[in-house]
Amino acid sequence: MAAARERNSARRDGGRRRPNRARRADHLAGWAFVSPAVLLIGLFGLVPVVWSLLLSFQQTDLTSPGTWSGAANYRRMVHDPVFWQAARQTLVYCVLFVPITMVLAIPIAVLLNQKVRGMTFYRMAVFVPLVTSTVATGVIFSWLLNPQFGPVNAGLAKLGLPQQGFFQSSGEALPAVVAMTVWGWLGFAVIIYLSALQNVPRELMEAAALDGCGRVKAFWKVELPLLAPASSFLLVWLTINALQLFDEVYVTTKGGPLHASTVLVYYLYQQAFVDFDGGYAAAIGSALFVVILAVTVVQLWLSRRASPYEVN
C-alpha cells in the first residue's frame, strides 16, 4: 500500500512538473523571439536616455570630456528667458495644433465613410500629405507663403486684402507653422477616425433609424460617443508629436524671427549643435521628457474617466 501511494504521488508530481516545465519552455522561447527587439530598444532607447540624464549634470561641448557641475544646468534653465519663451510657444502650438487637427478630422472622416464613386481616390488624397517628407512640405509652404511672390499673398492682393508676412512675421510665424503641420498630420487623424467609424456596429445605426433618429442625430448620439477610444489615442499621439516639434521649424523659420517660432526641441538643437553646450541641451531634453511623460499619463487618466467606454 505504501509503495502504491508513493507511485501515485510521484505520478501526480510528475504531472504537475510537466506543465510547469512546458510553461518555462514557452517563456524561454518567447524571450528568445523578442530578445533582438529588447536589445535594440535598450541600446537605442534606454541607454541614450540614461546617458542624456547624466550629461545634464555636466558642462561639456560634446567633443571633449565634460566636468561635473551638479544642478547648474537646471538652475540656468529656470532663469533663462529664451527657454521660457520656447516653452510658452510650444504650449501655444500644442493648444492650437491638437484640437484643430482632431476637430477637422472628424467631419472629413464622416464624408470619407460614404459609399460613393471614386472614394478610394479621395481617401488616398487625404492621406498623401502624411507620407510627404517634412522637408518637401516645408519648401512648398515656404513658397506658398512667401511675402514677396507667394501665391497666397497674390490671391489676397486680388481680393483687396492686406499682404501678410507669414513665416517672416513675428506675429504670424507660429500660426503659419500650425497651419502647415495641421495640413501634414490631418490625414493621419482622418484615417484613425475612419477606421473607428467603419467599426461601428451596423445594428446600432439601424436601431437608431428605427427609433426615428436622422443621420445627423444618429451621428451625435451613436457614432460620436463610439469615437472616444480613437480620440483618446489621437489626443496622446498628437500631443507627443506637438511637444517634439522640430523639423517644420528648422526647414521654414529657423526659430525666427526674434525667437517668435522657437520651440523647445529647436532650442535644444541650437544649444547642442550650434552653441555646443551639450550639458544644457541635455537638461532641456530631460525636462521635456518629464513633461511628455506627465502629460501622457494625465491625458490617459482623463480619457478613461471621461469616456463611457473602456479604453484599453
Side-chain angles (χ1 to χ4, degrees), residues 94-114:
C94 289
V95 170
L96 293 174
F97 167 74
V98 176
I100 291 174
T101 304
M102 294 177 65
V103 169
L104 290 178
I106 292 176
I108 296 175
V110 172
L111 292 174
L112 294 180
N113 196 35
Q114 309 303 313

Side-chain angles (χ1 to χ4, degrees), residues 19 34 38 81 92 98 120 131 191 193 196 201 241 261 270 275 296 304:
V34 303
V38 172
V92 170
V98 176
T120 301
V131 298
I191 292 300
Y193 278 131
N241 278 274
S261 60
Q270 283 185 316
D275 299 335
T296 302
R304 285 179 169 84

Side-chain angles (χ1 to χ4, degrees), residues 49 52-54 56-57 74 77 268 281-291:
V49 169
S52 177
L53 180 62
L54 294 175
S56 68
F57 294 99
Y74 293 96
M77 188 190 309
L268 184 157
I284 296 173
S286 299
L288 183 60
F289 172 78
V290 173
V291 170

